[in-house]
């Protein structure tokens, strides 16, 4: 980067930092408050987010002072880090005001805030005398009314807490007289009220007490030892009691102000005069001027600023060198002449940091005062608005009184055109050469509540896995409002909607502050598959605006149901017995295993495998439809009984499974005859626990297939068949559906079960008949060979039904 562009970049950065640091935040606290005391919340006062302070690396930069304060970066609170002593911080008593100045600096983006902390005085210091023992020599020739300078007390406190008065212990010869200097300091003189007689009393011991004006008052004492001396009856005298002199400020050190000359009518040692500052002369004055004790020359000792002190009072004492010296006093008034060495200052006495865009023309934004510490033409100032080139601001300055101006709106404001203004005020004095100063007012244009909250999308589709934890966070729905401040503070809530005798607020909950959506219940995919409701976001404006969004929650299936063997049906733990002829051909259907799973999709896809098999070369199992067929013909070596264990496993993760044991008996010839039907009541409560949606889909398909098959059966039944006196045989298949046989499983449709059983039996050439039991206790299912189905009379069916009913509990 070339040097010219580098200088331009530095100028822009310094200008930005100056603008950011222009505003001043002021606080006032008493001194000596405990460490850890919270003064204020910087985040709230400066309009910052408390949780962002740590990320933005907030810190305090102190200006010429110790680290008295610290910021809690978690809460934004400004607290005391070290006890503050006002007297240590502001030792000079020229002003009762004491300020601690610091900068608050934050990053990302960088901002600087000026903070002034006024330290208010408390009465924590008692008056103290410079000397606890004051030795005073008084000639016995002193006349009543003569005054004696004594050491006055000092109090580090200021204002009302400084010295208020003095008290003298009881004395017949002395009293005190209290005087006040121009700076309010109390001085005390010891006054002789009666003639002294050294022969009667050579020493007078007095106690002087200084009391301040605090509540409660504090005091300090000093002992005054008055030694009565013999007569040196002529004191040095000045030609005038008060001298007046002018001195230009910033005069060089060593400049001669004046030379004093006191005369003493005595002779010899008693006429030699020594000059010194009296105790009336303040310490500040003695620091600014020097006094030669022999010649009486007064010179400048330190730099003098007109703006700090406009005049000085110097009290000088001339004392002779007699054994019992006498003294004379005078006062020198030094008046400081002003120079144009101070820049004019701009003070924002009342300021609106932000106004609404619909504020009328003439609205007062700020009240501004200007001042210059100089005097005369040097202190006269002119204030104006400093505009950028080709920029016209919709504001003007109107003078309201002497040195006070009002900044007002002159044109209508439009936040959409410009949402903030930086108004630079320029002030210059009339000195030679003139001095100037600038101050920038940052004004934010507030938006009115004319924008409703808006969601990023009109429909949220949320997928939620079943068996969720209650109170689980399922989504965060956040709307955006382009308005500002309270107009963009949003509140979220669910629009109530009744479903299945409950409301949405009983199923779901939304955090009204951040839009986090929670599930209040554990959902079961087999019971509820989806929910559709609305969520409204409403701002905090007046009047409030709102919008809503549609939420579609889809419950996802989880493999939480175990497959159920529905065919061939057997009581729990029972072995299925099948009889086939040994002459069965290769590929003959032995039986078909049917399992059902209440889950959906991959979780309900079932495959079948042999878990145990007596001879793996004899039977095959179709892994998809569960058909067991012979893979070859039986030989004389094959045992008569074959034992098979089939496992039905779903495709879930992890998979679930169920097993069925089938005992296959081979016979030389199958005798078809009716045997006693095993009849087991079917509990009807199976229907109530099945998912309604599964019933609708599966029932519709099965109903159409059932109608088609029934029509075919009815047509075949109408064909003439030779009657038989006695049916050759009948196989009964009993099925009982109750809570003991299908424990802890998702209930399925009874129609689906009957249809699955129907398919299994009809493929073996049998006809399935389902007959209700008396009093609605259940159903009896009978499997009848196809050859005997048409010859079965109604009487035999009736007897079978009565016989089976009598066996029911």
């Amino acid at each position: 980067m070339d040097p010219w562009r580098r200088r331009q970049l530095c100028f822009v950065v310094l200008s930005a930092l100056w603008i950011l640091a222009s505003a001043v935040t002021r606080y006032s606290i008493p001194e000596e408050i405990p460490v850890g005391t919270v003064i204020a919340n910087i985040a709230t006062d400066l309009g910052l987010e408390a949780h962002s302070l740590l990320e933005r690396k907030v810190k305090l930069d102190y200006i010429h002072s110790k680290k008295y304060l610290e910021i809690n970066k978690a809460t934004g609170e400004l607290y005391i880090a070290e006890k503050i002593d006002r007297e240590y911080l502001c030792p000079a008593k020229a002003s009762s005001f004491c300020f601690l100045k610091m900068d608050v600096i934050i990053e990302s983006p960088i901002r600087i805030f000026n903070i002034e902390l006024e330290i208010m005085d408390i009465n924590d210091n008692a008056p103290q005398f410079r000397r606890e023992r004051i030795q005073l020599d008084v000639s016995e020739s002193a006349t009543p009314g003569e005054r004696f300078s004594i050491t006055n007390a000092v109090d580090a406190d200021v204002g009302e807490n400084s010295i208020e008065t003095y008290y003298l212990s009881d004395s017949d010869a002395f009293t005190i007289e209290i005087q006040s200097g121009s700076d309010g300091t109390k001085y005390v003189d010891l006054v002789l009220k009666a003639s002294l007689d050294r022969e009667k009393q050579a020493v007078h011991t007095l106690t002087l007490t200084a009391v301040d004006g605090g509540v409660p008052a504090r005091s300090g004492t000093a002992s005054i030892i008055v030694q009565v001396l013999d007569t040196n009856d002529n004191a040095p005298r000045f030609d005038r009691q008060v001298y007046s002199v002018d001195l230009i400020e910033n005069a060089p050190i060593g400049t001669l102000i004046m030379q004093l000359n006191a005369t003493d009518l005595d002779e010899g040692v008693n006429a030699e005069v020594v000059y010194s500052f009296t105790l009336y002369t303040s310490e500040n004055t003695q620091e600014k001027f020097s006094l030669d004790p022999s010649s009486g020359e007064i010179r400048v000792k330190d730099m003098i600023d007109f703006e700090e002190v406009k005049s000085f009072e110097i009290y000088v004492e001339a004392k002779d060198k007699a054994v019992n010296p006498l003294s004379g006093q005078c006062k020198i008034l030094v008046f400081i002449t002003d120079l144009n060495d101070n820049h004019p200052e701009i003070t924002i006495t009342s300021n609106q940091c932000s106004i609404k865009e619909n504020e009328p023309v003439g609205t007062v934004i700020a009240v501004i005062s200007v001042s210059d510490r100089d005097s005369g033409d040097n202190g006269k100032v002119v204030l104006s608005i400093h505009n950028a080139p080709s920029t016209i601001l919709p504001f003007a300055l109107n003078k309201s009184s002497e040195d006070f101006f009002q900044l007002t709106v002159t044109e209508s404001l439009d936040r959409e055109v410009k949402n903030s203004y930086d108004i630079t005020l320029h002030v210059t004095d009339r000195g030679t050469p003139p001095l100037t100063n600038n101050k920038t007012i940052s004004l934010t244009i507030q938006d009115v509540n004319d924008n409703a909250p808006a969601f990023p999308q009109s429909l949220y589709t949320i997928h939620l896995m079943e068996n969720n934890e209650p109170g689980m966070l399922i989504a965060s729905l956040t709307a955006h409002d382009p308005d500002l401040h309270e107009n963009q503070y949003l509140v979220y809530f669910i629009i109530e909607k009744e479903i299945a005798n409950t409301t949405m607020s009983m199923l779901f909950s939304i955090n009204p502050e951040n839009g986090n959506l929670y599930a209040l219940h554990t959902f079961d995919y087999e019971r509820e598959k989806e929910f559709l409701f609305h969520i409204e976001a409403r701002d905090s404006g007046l009047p409030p605006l709102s919008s809503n969004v549609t939420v579609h929650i889809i419950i996802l299936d989880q493999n939480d149901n175990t497959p159920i063997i529905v065919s061939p049906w057997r009581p729990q733990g029972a072995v299925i017995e099948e009889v086939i002829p040994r002459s069965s051909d290769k590929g003959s259907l032995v039986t078909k295993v049917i399992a059902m799973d209440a889950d959906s999709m991959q979780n309900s896809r079932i495959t079948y495998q042999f878990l145990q098999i007596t001879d793996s070369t004899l039977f095959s199992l179709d892994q998809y439809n569960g058909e067991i067929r012979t893979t070859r013909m039986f030989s004389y070596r094959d045992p008569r009984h074959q034992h098979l264990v089939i496992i039905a496993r779903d495709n879930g993760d992890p998979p679930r499974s169920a097993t069925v044991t089938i005992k296959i008996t081979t016979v030389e010839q199958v005798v078809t005859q009716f045997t006693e039907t095993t009849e087991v009541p079917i509990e009807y409560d199976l229907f109530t626990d099945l998912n309604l949606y599964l019933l609708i889909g599966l029932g519709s398909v099965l109903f159409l297939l059932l109608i088609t098959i029934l029509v075919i059966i009815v047509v075949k039944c109408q064909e003439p068949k030779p009657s038989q006196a006695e049916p050759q045989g009948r196989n009964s298949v009993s099925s009982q559906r109750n809570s003991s046989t299908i424990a802890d499983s998702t209930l399925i449709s009874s129609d689906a079960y009957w249809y699955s059983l129907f398919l299994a039996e009809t493929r073996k050439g049998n006809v399935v008949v389902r007959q209700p039991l008396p009093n609605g206790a259940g159903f009896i299912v009978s499997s009848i060979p196809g050859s005997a189905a048409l010859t079965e009379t109604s009487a035999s069916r009736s007897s079978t039904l009565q016989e089976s009913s009598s066996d029911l509990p």
Side-chain angles (χ1 to χ4, degrees):
M1 181 181 295
D2 62 287
W4 171 250
R5 297 193 61 184
R6 187 179 296 109
R7 285 195 295 269
Q8 285 183 325
L9 179 60
C10 292
F11 178 77
V12 172
V13 172
L14 291 174
S15 299
L17 292 176
W18 175 260
I19 291 172
L20 290 175
S22 60
V24 179
T25 302
R26 292 184 173 88
Y27 302 100
S28 296
I29 62 168
E31 62 174 329
E32 304 289 343
I33 60 177
V35 174
T37 302
V38 176
I39 298 174
N41 192 301
I42 290 294
T44 301
D45 295 344
L46 299 182
L48 303 175
E49 294 289 342
H51 61 79
S52 67
L53 295 181
L54 184 60
E55 298 177 355
R56 298 183 68 180
K57 300 180 180 179
V58 64
K59 66 179 182 178
L60 282 177
D61 186 15
Y62 295 88
I63 302 174
H64 309 301
S65 63
K66 297 168 62 178
K67 189 176 181 181
Y68 290 108
L69 305 177
E70 194 56 76
I71 296 177
N72 187 327
K73 298 180 181 179
T75 62
E77 293 176 338
L78 183 67
Y79 64 91
I80 300 296
E82 183 176 343
K83 186 173 290 187
I84 301 174
D85 185 0
R86 182 191 182 282
E87 288 71 37
Y88 173 83
L89 189 64
C90 301
K93 299 181 62 175
S95 173
S96 61
F97 298 98
C98 180
F99 291 93
L100 178 62
K101 299 182 179 181
M102 66 202 77
D103 293 333
V104 177
I105 303 175
I106 60 175
E107 298 180 2
S108 302
I110 185 168
R111 296 187 66 186
I112 301 175
F113 299 92
N114 300 124
I115 294 180
E116 288 187 357
L117 182 63
E118 181 183 1
I119 310 302
M120 296 183 295
D121 184 46
I122 63 174
N123 192 25
D124 58 341
N125 293 282
Q128 291 183 345
F129 287 85
R130 295 187 180 93
R131 291 178 292 177
E132 295 182 356
R133 181 183 177 90
I134 302 173
Q135 188 74 33
L136 187 62
D137 296 331
V138 180
S139 173
E140 67 175 340
S141 62
T143 59
E146 188 172 344
R147 307 162 65 89
F148 303 95
S149 297
I150 59 176
T151 303
N152 63 301
V154 293
D155 194 331
D157 296 323
V158 296
E160 295 180 354
N161 297 325
S162 62
I163 296 175
E164 180 70 21
T165 187
Y166 291 86
Y167 297 99
L168 185 67
S169 60
D170 293 338
S171 173
D172 296 330
F174 295 94
T175 185
I176 59 173
E177 183 175 331
I178 302 172
Q179 298 185 19
S180 297
S182 60
D183 58 353
T185 303
K186 302 290 185 179
Y187 301 101
V188 61
D189 284 344
L190 186 65
V191 180
L192 183 64
K193 65 179 182 180
S195 298
L196 299 176
D197 188 351
R198 179 181 173 279
E199 286 69 30
K200 289 185 178 179
Q201 186 176 355
V203 177
H204 295 264
T205 302
L206 308 174
T207 300
L208 180 63
T209 303
V211 181
D212 64 23
V215 178
R218 292 174 176 265
S219 62
T221 61
S223 296
I224 301 176
I225 309 300
V226 180
Q227 185 75 35
V228 180
L229 303 177
D230 262 338
T231 302
N232 173 31
D233 56 353
N234 289 292
R237 292 182 179 275
F238 294 95
D239 55 353
R240 284 188 294 176
Q241 291 295 314
V242 179
Y243 296 89
S244 179
V245 63
D246 293 328
L247 177 66
I248 191 170
E249 69 172 325
N250 303 326
I253 295 176
T255 301
L256 177 63
I257 298 177
M258 68 176 302
Q259 183 174 6
L260 297 174
N261 183 24
T263 59
D264 193 321
L265 298 178
D266 294 325
E267 294 180 350
V269 176
N270 294 335
E272 296 179 5
V273 177
V274 176
Y275 301 93
S276 64
F277 292 118
T278 71
L279 297 177
Y280 297 156
T281 305
S282 66
E283 293 182 358
N284 182 49
T285 301
Q286 295 183 38
E287 291 175 357
K288 297 294 183 182
F289 302 97
S290 65
L291 174 62
D292 189 305
S294 300
S295 64
E297 292 181 348
I298 300 177
R299 296 181 180 272
V300 176
K301 183 180 178 182
D302 196 3
M303 294 300 297
I304 298 174
D305 188 358
F306 173 84
E307 287 68 40
E308 289 184 0
V309 181
K310 294 179 173 57
S311 63
F312 293 90
E313 293 182 1
I314 304 175
Y315 295 87
V316 177
E317 179 184 65
K319 183 181 295 186
D320 59 31
K321 295 182 179 181
V323 176
N324 299 318
L326 298 178
S327 63
Q329 298 176 354
C330 72
K331 180 169 70 173
I332 301 98
L333 299 179
V334 181
F335 297 99
I336 309 302
T337 303
D338 182 40
L339 292 178
N340 190 26
D341 60 342
N342 290 280
H343 290 265
E345 295 182 355
I346 301 174
T347 304
I348 310 298
T349 58
S350 177
N351 180 31
Q352 295 188 56
C353 296
S354 61
I355 62 173
K356 294 182 179 180
E357 61 177 329
N358 58 354
E359 290 289 348
V361 174
T363 299
V364 177
I365 300 172
V367 176
I368 304 158
S369 65
V370 291
S371 61
D372 194 318
R373 297 176 63 189
D374 296 322
S375 61
D377 288 340
N378 298 331
K380 296 179 180 179
V381 296
V382 177
L383 179 66
S384 62
I385 296 178
H386 185 70
N387 297 336
S390 69
T391 301
I392 300 177
L393 298 179
F395 308 103
L397 286 170
N398 298 321
K399 189 171 184 179
S400 59
S401 61
E402 186 65 27
D403 295 333
F404 280 86
F405 297 83
Q406 291 182 343
L407 182 63
T408 60
V409 178
T410 59
E411 299 177 11
S412 297
L413 303 176
D414 189 348
R415 178 184 175 274
E416 286 66 36
V417 175
K418 191 173 181 62
N419 60 4
S420 64
Y421 293 90
D422 289 330
I423 308 168
T424 301
L425 302 176
H426 179 78
V427 62
T428 181
D429 62 23
R430 296 181 180 178
T432 303
L435 301 178
T436 63
N437 203 346
N438 295 312
K439 179 165 285 190
T440 300
I441 297 177
S442 296
L443 180 65
T444 302
I445 308 303
Q446 293 182 350
D447 190 23
V448 295
N449 191 26
D450 55 353
N451 292 284
F455 288 91
Q457 54 195 73
S458 60
L459 173 64
Y460 285 87
T461 301
I462 302 169
H463 295 86
L464 177 63
M465 186 68 68
E466 67 171 330
N467 301 320
N468 60 287
E469 291 289 336
M472 174 183 175
L473 174 64
I474 60 177
S476 182
L477 310 177
T478 304
H480 174 70
D481 194 323
D483 294 326
L484 300 176
H485 306 303
E486 67 275 2
N487 295 333
Q488 70 174 174
Y489 298 151
L490 304 183
V491 177
Y492 302 87
F493 56 89
I494 297 175
I495 299 178
E496 289 294 352
K497 173 184 176 183
E498 286 197 10
I499 176 172
N501 297 326
T502 186
T503 59
M504 282 300 167
S505 60
M506 298 178 64
L507 301 176
F508 302 96
S509 173
I510 190 168
N511 188 314
E513 296 180 354
N514 56 26
N516 287 344
L517 184 63
Y518 300 89
L520 299 181
H521 293 276
T522 300
F523 296 105
D524 187 356
Y525 173 83
E526 287 69 39
R527 293 177 180 270
E528 310 99 348
K529 288 185 172 57
E530 62 180 4
F531 297 94
L532 191 67
F533 56 92
H534 299 283
I535 289 178
E536 181 174 314
R538 179 180 299 168
D539 62 29
S540 302
L542 291 175
L545 301 178
S546 63
S547 63
N548 58 62
V549 66
T550 303
V551 178
H552 184 201
I553 297 180
I554 299 175
I555 308 300
L556 300 179
D557 183 41
Q558 195 177 47
N559 191 26
D560 57 347
N561 291 285
T562 304
I564 300 174
I565 306 295
V566 298
S567 177
W569 186 90
R570 85 288 185 211
Q572 185 176 9
V575 178
I576 303 298
E577 295 187 0
E578 296 285 348
V579 178
I580 62 173
R582 293 184 67 85
S583 60
S584 297
D585 294 331
K586 175 183 177 181
S588 298
L589 178 66
V590 177
T591 186
K592 181 175 182 178
V593 179
I594 299 176
M596 298 193 70
D597 194 317
D599 294 321
S600 65
M601 305 297 292
Q602 294 292 334
N603 296 330
S604 65
R605 295 181 181 179
I606 299 174
T607 57
Y608 304 89
Q609 292 179 345
F610 282 123
L611 191 60
Q612 293 179 11
I613 183 171
T614 305
D615 188 349
S616 60
T617 65
L618 188 56
F619 301 99
S620 66
L621 173 62
D622 191 307
Q623 65 173 339
Y624 298 110
N625 60 23
E627 291 183 349
I628 302 175
R629 295 181 181 273
T630 59
T631 58
R632 61 178 175 81
M633 295 185 66
F634 289 92
S635 67
Y636 68 92
R637 294 187 183 91
D638 296 325
R640 182 170 178 268
H641 300 287
Q642 298 288 331
H643 186 79
L644 307 178
V645 178
I646 292 89
I647 181 171
R649 181 182 289 111
D650 62 25
N651 200 30
D653 184 19
R656 294 176 177 267
S657 62
T659 60
V660 61
T661 302
I662 301 177
K663 181 180 179 182
I664 300 176
T665 303
T666 59
V667 296
E668 296 299 332
Q669 184 177 2
V670 178
V671 179
T672 305
Q673 61 181 1
F674 289 107
T675 61
E676 181 179 359
T677 302
T678 303
E679 300 165 340
V680 181
I682 304 303
E683 291 296 334
Y684 199 71
D685 63 350
L686 186 63
F687 175 77
T688 61
D689 292 332
L690 183 62
N691 187 285
L692 181 60
Y693 297 106
L694 179 62
L695 280 177
I696 295 174
L698 185 60
S700 301
V701 177
L702 296 182
F703 179 78
L704 294 175
L705 290 175
L706 184 60
I707 293 298
T708 304
I709 294 173
L710 289 178
V711 170
I712 295 173
I713 293 175
V714 170
V715 172
K716 288 184 178 183
C717 289
Q718 290 179 353
E719 298 178 1
K721 295 289 182 177
S723 61
Q724 298 179 359
E726 183 177 355
Q728 295 179 358
R730 183 178 67 183
N731 296 328
S732 297
V733 180
S734 66
S735 176
Q736 181 176 3
R737 306 282 287 175
N738 55 32
S739 60
S740 63
T741 60
I742 311 176
D744 300 328
S745 64
T746 303
L747 298 179
I748 62 172
S749 170
S750 58
D751 289 338
Y753 166 75
W754 300 129
Y755 177 63
S756 300
L757 186 60
F758 174 79
L759 290 178
E761 296 300 324
T762 52
R763 290 188 178 183
K764 295 190 291 184
N766 299 331
V767 177
V768 179
V769 179
R770 183 174 71 167
Q771 296 175 326
L773 292 175
N775 301 325
F779 293 93
I780 293 178
V781 181
S782 298
S783 176
I784 305 172
S787 59
L790 299 177
T791 61
E792 182 180 20
T793 64
S794 61
S796 66
R797 291 195 299 270
S798 176
S799 63
T800 302
L801 177 61
Q802 293 173 359
E803 181 179 344
S804 63
S805 299
S806 63
D807 296 334
L808 295 172

